[in-house]
C-alpha cells in the first residue's frame, strides 16, 4: 500500500478558520441577543396558538370592505409616489451624471440622493406624519423620497454608461443643451429608465403596505389595527391579499419591462 | 404601393424598404402602458383622501419639528442608544446569516436545473415570493406576537424577509451555472452531495458572498426601524423618544442611524471592490 494518500480536493485551512470564526460569532451573538433554547421552545408553543387563532382567515363582508379600501389606498399611494418620484428623479439623476455635469453639481446632487436613500421610508413617514398629519399624504411623501433615492441613482448610472458618440454627433449639428438631451441622451437611457420605474412601482406597492403602521395610510393601517385588536384571522386575510397583489404586480412589472426592452 | 415608396431616380418598379422600429404588437403594448399609467395617476390624484385642514400648517409643523430636535440630547447616547446600536448590528448580521442558511435549500429547490420537478420549483418560488412580499416590519409584528418583544423577534423578521431576496438571486445564479463541471462529476460517478459541493458551490460562491454582503447592507437599514414595533435595536430608542415627544432624543437617533447607514455603505462597497 502506498503511504501517500491522494486527495482530489485538498482542505483549505484558511477557509475552515473563517468558518470557525463565523461559528464563534454566531454563538456569541446569540448570547448577546438573549436567545435561549428554552425561550425558543416557549415561542414555538405561542406560535402554535397564534397560528391557531389565524386560521381560518376572516372573509366576512365587513372585513372585506375594509380590506378593499386599504388596498385601494395602498395602490393610490404607490402610483402617486412613483409618478412624482420619477418626475423629480429625472432632473436629479441628470444633475448627478458626472459625464454631463460639472463636478460640483454632480457631487451635490449625489449628496441629495445619498440623503434620500439613507433613511428608511418608515422613518421619513414618521417625520411626514408629524408635518402633514395622519393619512395617505404622509405615506406618499415618504415614498416619493425613497423613489427619488433609488431612481435618480440608477438613472445617473445609466447616463454615465451611455455612449458619448451620439451626444457628440448631436452637439456637432449645433444643437443646444436641451436638444442634446432629447435627441442624444434620452433615447439611449429611455428603456432602462422605464425598467427602473416599473421596478420602483413594484417596490412602492410593497412599502405602501408598511407606511400605514406609523400612520401613513393604506393597508398597513388596517393591518396594524387588526393586529392591535388581536383580530389575527383578519391579519391573515390581509397578509394573503398583500402576497396575492405583490405576485400580480411582479408579473405586471415584468411584462412592462419586456414591452419596453 | 404609395408614390413615396418609389425610389427617386431608381429603376422603375423598385421600392424603398420601409424600416419600422417596433412591431404593431409592441406599439400597441407601449401605448396601452402609457395610457393605463396616465389613467391610474389621474384617478389616484382625484380620489386619494387628503385632509386639507392638516396641510395649512404643514410648513410650521416641519419647522417646529426641526427646532425641537435641536440641540440634540447627547445624554440619551449612554442611556439607551449605545446598547441599542450594538443590538441592531447583531440583529442585522445574525438575521442575514440565518437567512443564508435557510435560503440555500429553497434556492436549490427553485433552480430548475438542480431540481427537475415543476411542482417543487413552483412551491419554492411561492415561498420566495411570500417571504419577499411581506415587509420586514410586518414580519416583525408577527414574530413579536409569537416570541414577545425583543431582538429575537427582530432577528427572525430580518431572516424571514431576506430568504426571498437571497433565495431568488441564488436560484438565478444556480440556473446560470455552466453544465460542464456538473457533467464531469456525474460521469465520474460522484454522489449528489459531492456534485452540489464541488460542482455547483465553487461556481456560485462569488455571487453567494456578494448577495450576502448586499443583503447585510439592506438589513442594517431595516433592523434600525424594527424597534418601532418592539423588535429590538435602535428603533426602540427612536420609539421611546417619539412616544415621549422628546424630539431631541429622536434627533440623536436619526443622526446615529444616518451615520451607521453611511458607514455600512462605505464598508460594503470597500469589501466588494477589494474581495469580490
Amino acid at each position: 500500500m502506498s503511504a501517500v494518500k491522494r486527495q482530489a480536493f485538498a482542505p483549505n485551512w484558511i477557509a475552515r478558520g473563517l468558518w470557525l470564526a463565523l461559528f464563534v460569532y454566531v454563538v456569541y451573538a446569540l448570547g448577546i441577543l438573549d436567545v435561549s433554547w428554552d425561550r425558543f421552545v416557549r415561542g414555538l408553543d405561542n406560535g402554535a396558538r397564534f397560528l391557531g387563532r389565524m386560521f381560518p382567515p376572516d372573509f366576512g363582508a365587513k372585513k372585506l370592505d375594509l380590506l378593499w379600501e386599504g388596498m385601494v389606498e395602498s395602490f393610490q399611494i404607490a402610483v402617486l409616489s412613483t409618478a412624482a418620484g420619477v418626475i423629480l428623479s429625472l432632473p436629479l439623476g441628470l444633475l448627478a451624471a458626472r459625464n454631463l455635469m460639472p463636478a460640483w453639481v454632480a457631487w451635490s446632487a449625489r449628496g441629495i440622493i445619498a440623503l434620500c436613500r439613507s433613511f428608511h421610508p418608515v422613518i421619513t413617514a414618521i417625520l411626514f406624519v408629524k408635518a402633514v398629519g395622519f393619512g395617505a399624504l404622509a405615506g406618499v411623501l415618504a415614498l416619493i423620497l425613497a423613489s427619488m433615492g433609488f431612481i435618480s441613482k440608477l438613472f445617473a448610472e445609466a447616463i454615465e454608461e451611455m455612449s458619448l458618440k451620439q451626444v457628440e454627433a448631436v452637439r456637432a449639428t449645433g444643437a443646444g443643451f436641451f436638444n442634446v438631451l432629447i435627441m442624444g441622451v434620452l433615447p439611449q437611457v429611455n428603456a432602462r429608465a422605464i425598467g427602473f420605474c416599473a421596478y420602483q412601482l413594484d417596490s412602492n406597492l410593497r412599502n405602501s403596505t408598511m407606511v400605514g403602521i406609523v400612520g401613513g395610510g393604506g393597508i398597513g393601517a388596517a393591518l396594524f389595527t387588526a393586529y392591535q385588536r388581536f383580530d389575527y384571522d383578519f391579519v391573515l386575510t390581509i397578509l394573503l391579499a398583500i402576497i396575492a397583489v405583490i405576485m400580480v404586480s411582479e408579473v405586471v412589472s415584468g411584462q412592462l419591462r419586456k414591452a419596453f426592452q | 404601393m404609395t408614390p413615396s415608396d418609389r425610389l427617386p431616380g431608381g429603376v422603375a418598379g423598385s421600392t424603398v424598404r420601409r424600416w419600422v422600429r417596433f412591431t404593431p404588437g409592441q406599439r400597441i403594448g407601449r401605448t396601452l402602458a402609457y395610457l393605463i399609467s396616465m389613467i391610474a395617476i389621474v384617478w389616484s390624484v382625484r380620489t386619494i383622501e387628503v385632509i386639507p385642514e392638516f396641510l395649512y400648517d404643514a410648513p410650521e409643523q416641519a419647522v417646529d419639528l426641526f427646532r425641537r430636535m435641536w440641540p440634540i440630547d447627547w445624554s440619551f447616547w449612554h442611556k439607551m442608544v449605545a446598547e441599542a446600536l450594538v443590538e441592531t448590528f447583531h440583529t442585522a448580521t445574525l438575521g442575514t446569516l440565518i437567512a443564508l442558511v435557510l435560503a440555500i435549500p429553497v434556492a436549490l429547490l427553485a433552480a430548475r436545473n438542480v431540481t427537475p420537478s415543476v411542482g417543487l420549483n413552483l412551491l419554492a418560488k411561492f415561498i420566495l415570493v411570500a417571504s419577499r412580499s411581506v415587509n420586514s416590519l410586518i414580519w416583525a409584528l408577527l414574530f413579536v406576537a409569537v416570541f414577545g418583544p425583543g431582538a429575537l423577534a427582530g432577528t427572525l423578521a430580518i431572516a424571514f424577509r431576506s430568504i426571498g431576496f437571497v433565495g431568488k438571486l441564488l436560484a438565478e445564479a444556480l440556473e446560470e451555472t455552466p453544465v460542464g463541471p456538473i457533467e464531469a462529476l456525474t460521469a465520474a460517478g460522484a454522489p449528489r452531495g459531492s456534485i452540489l459541493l464541488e460542482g455547483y458551490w465553487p461556481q456560485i460562491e462569488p455571487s453567494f458572498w456578494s448577495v450576502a454582503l448586499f443583503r447585510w447592507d439592506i438589513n442594517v437599514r431595516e433592523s434600525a426601524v424594527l424597534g418601532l414595533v418592539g423588535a429590538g435595536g435602535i428603533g426602540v430608542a427612536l420609539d421611546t423618544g417619539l412616544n415621549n415627544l422628546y424630539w431631541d432624543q429622536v434627533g440623536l437617533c436619526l443622526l446615529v442611524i444616518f451615520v451607521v447607514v453611511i458607514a455600512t455603505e462605505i464598508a460594503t462597497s470597500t469589501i466588494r471592490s477589494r474581495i469580490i
Side-chain angles (χ1 to χ4, degrees):
Chain A
M1 244 172 98
S2 77
V4 185
K5 206 176 151 212
R6 277 163 56 95
Q7 258 184 316
F9 301 102
N12 183 344
W13 287 104
I14 297 177
R16 285 189 184 181
L18 287 177
W19 284 112
L20 187 70
L22 201 64
F23 179 74
V24 170
Y25 168 77
V26 168
V27 172
Y28 162 78
L30 285 177
I32 293 262
L33 295 186
D34 196 21
V35 181
S36 65
W37 188 246
D38 187 41
R39 210 175 144 203
F40 190 72
V41 171
R42 221 179 318 139
L44 286 187
D45 213 34
N46 261 339
R49 221 173 312 143
F50 182 62
L51 281 177
R53 289 183 60 175
M54 274 182 140
F55 279 101
D58 186 351
F59 286 117
K62 226 176 178 179
K63 301 283 176 175
L64 283 189
D65 278 352
L66 264 179
L67 177 72
W68 175 248
E69 258 171 52
M71 272 299 176
V72 167
E73 196 171 47
S74 271
F75 182 71
Q76 290 170 331
I77 292 175
V79 168
L80 287 182
S81 57
T82 312
V86 168
I87 292 170
L88 292 170
S89 299
L90 293 185
L92 190 61
L94 189 69
L95 288 177
R98 277 170 296 191
N99 53 351
L100 292 182
M101 290 290 152
W104 64 273
V105 177
W107 284 111
S108 34
R110 271 163 189 264
I112 296 174
I113 294 174
L115 202 65
C116 289
R117 269 162 52 77
S118 54
F119 284 112
H120 198 279
V122 168
I123 295 180
T124 41
I126 293 172
L127 299 182
F128 279 121
V129 165
K130 163 82 166 98
V132 301
F134 288 98
L137 187 63
V140 171
L141 292 174
L143 291 182
I144 287 178
L145 277 192
S147 312
M148 277 168 68
F150 183 80
I151 303 179
S152 347
K153 179 166 186 262
L154 291 180
F155 190 57
E157 276 167 16
I159 294 180
E160 285 177 1
E161 281 166 19
M162 73 177 183
S163 136
L164 276 175
K165 287 181 185 164
Q166 294 185 34
V167 177
E168 268 171 39
V170 177
R171 220 174 252 158
T173 63
F177 181 71
F178 284 100
N179 281 329
V180 170
L181 277 190
I182 293 167
M183 294 300 170
V185 177
L186 274 185
Q188 293 196 58
V189 294
N190 194 24
R192 286 184 70 187
I194 286 176
F196 310 147
C197 299
Y199 178 81
Q200 188 61 32
L201 180 64
D202 205 39
S203 144
N204 277 346
L205 196 58
R206 260 165 237 254
N207 285 340
S208 69
T209 61
M210 167 187 72
V211 287
I213 291 176
V214 292
I219 189 74
L223 180 83
F224 198 49
T225 316
Y227 174 83
Q228 284 182 321
R229 284 188 187 163
F230 305 106
D231 273 347
Y232 291 140
D233 42 0
F234 186 41
V235 168
L236 183 63
T237 318
I238 296 178
L239 287 181
L240 290 176
I242 291 176
I243 294 176
V245 168
I246 299 288
M247 274 175 129
V248 171
S249 95
E250 263 186 23
V251 172
V252 170
S253 86
Q255 288 295 324
L256 201 63
R257 255 173 293 175
K258 217 179 270 171
F260 283 96
Q261 271 306 301
Chain B
M1 187 167 54
T2 55
S4 62
D5 282 350
R6 214 178 290 281
L7 266 178
V11 187
S14 69
T15 54
V16 179
R17 269 209 262 173
R18 289 200 155 206
W19 293 97
V20 187
R21 194 165 162 210
F22 302 116
T23 61
Q26 276 178 321
R27 245 178 309 172
I28 292 170
R30 286 176 176 227
T31 319
L32 266 182
Y34 283 126
L35 202 69
I36 292 173
S37 334
M38 281 320 292
I39 292 173
I41 292 170
V42 170
W43 167 75
S44 302
V45 169
R46 297 186 60 132
T47 53
I48 199 164
E49 268 177 55
V50 171
I51 305 164
E53 284 78 17
F54 281 172
L55 276 181
Y56 297 138
D57 63 342
E60 284 163 47
Q61 290 283 351
V63 171
D64 180 51
L65 181 71
F66 286 109
R67 197 176 297 141
R68 279 167 194 243
M69 278 189 195
W70 198 261
I72 285 170
D73 180 9
W74 290 103
S75 68
F76 196 47
W77 171 262
H78 285 295
K79 260 185 257 166
M80 221 172 158
V81 175
E83 208 178 314
L85 194 60
V86 174
E87 202 175 65
T88 294
F89 174 78
H90 288 309
T91 305
T93 315
L94 210 55
T96 313
L97 289 174
I98 296 173
L100 290 175
V101 172
L102 292 178
I104 289 172
V106 186
L108 287 174
L109 284 181
R112 269 170 305 212
N113 52 348
V114 183
T115 311
S117 149
V118 180
L120 285 176
N121 291 158
L122 284 181
L123 176 72
K125 290 251 161 79
F126 176 75
I127 294 176
L128 295 181
V129 174
S131 147
R132 266 179 298 149
S133 2
V134 179
N135 222 291
S136 50
L137 219 54
I138 297 173
W139 273 119
L141 277 180
L142 300 181
F143 281 115
V144 166
V146 172
F147 290 106
L152 176 60
T155 310
L156 289 175
I158 290 285
F160 274 72
R161 171 73 170 83
S162 310
I163 289 175
F165 179 92
V166 176
K168 182 181 182 224
L169 292 178
L170 278 188
E172 278 167 11
L174 279 171
E175 286 183 349
E176 281 165 14
T177 50
V179 286
I182 316 297
E183 278 177 0
L185 279 165
T186 317
R192 190 115 183 90
S194 300
I195 294 180
L196 287 180
L197 204 60
E198 307 292 354
Y200 284 106
W201 171 242
Q203 300 197 58
I204 63 162
E205 200 179 353
S207 56
F208 178 82
W209 292 116
S210 93
V211 167
L213 204 60
F214 187 32
R215 191 63 220 184
W216 180 72
D217 184 19
I218 299 175
N219 282 346
V220 171
R221 270 159 225 247
E222 302 230 307
S223 63
V225 296
L226 289 183
L228 291 170
V229 294
I234 185 120
V236 175
L238 183 67
D239 198 39
T240 312
L242 282 170
N243 287 339
N244 297 337
L245 298 178
Y246 286 153
W247 288 94
D248 44 357
Q249 296 182 349
V250 173
L252 176 69
C253 293
L254 292 183
L255 182 72
V256 168
I257 292 175
F258 181 69
V259 171
V260 167
V261 166
I262 297 286
T264 43
E265 192 154 331
I266 292 173
T268 48
S269 62
T270 317
I271 296 175
R272 197 170 298 138
S273 59
R274 289 264 170 86
I275 296 174
I276 299 170

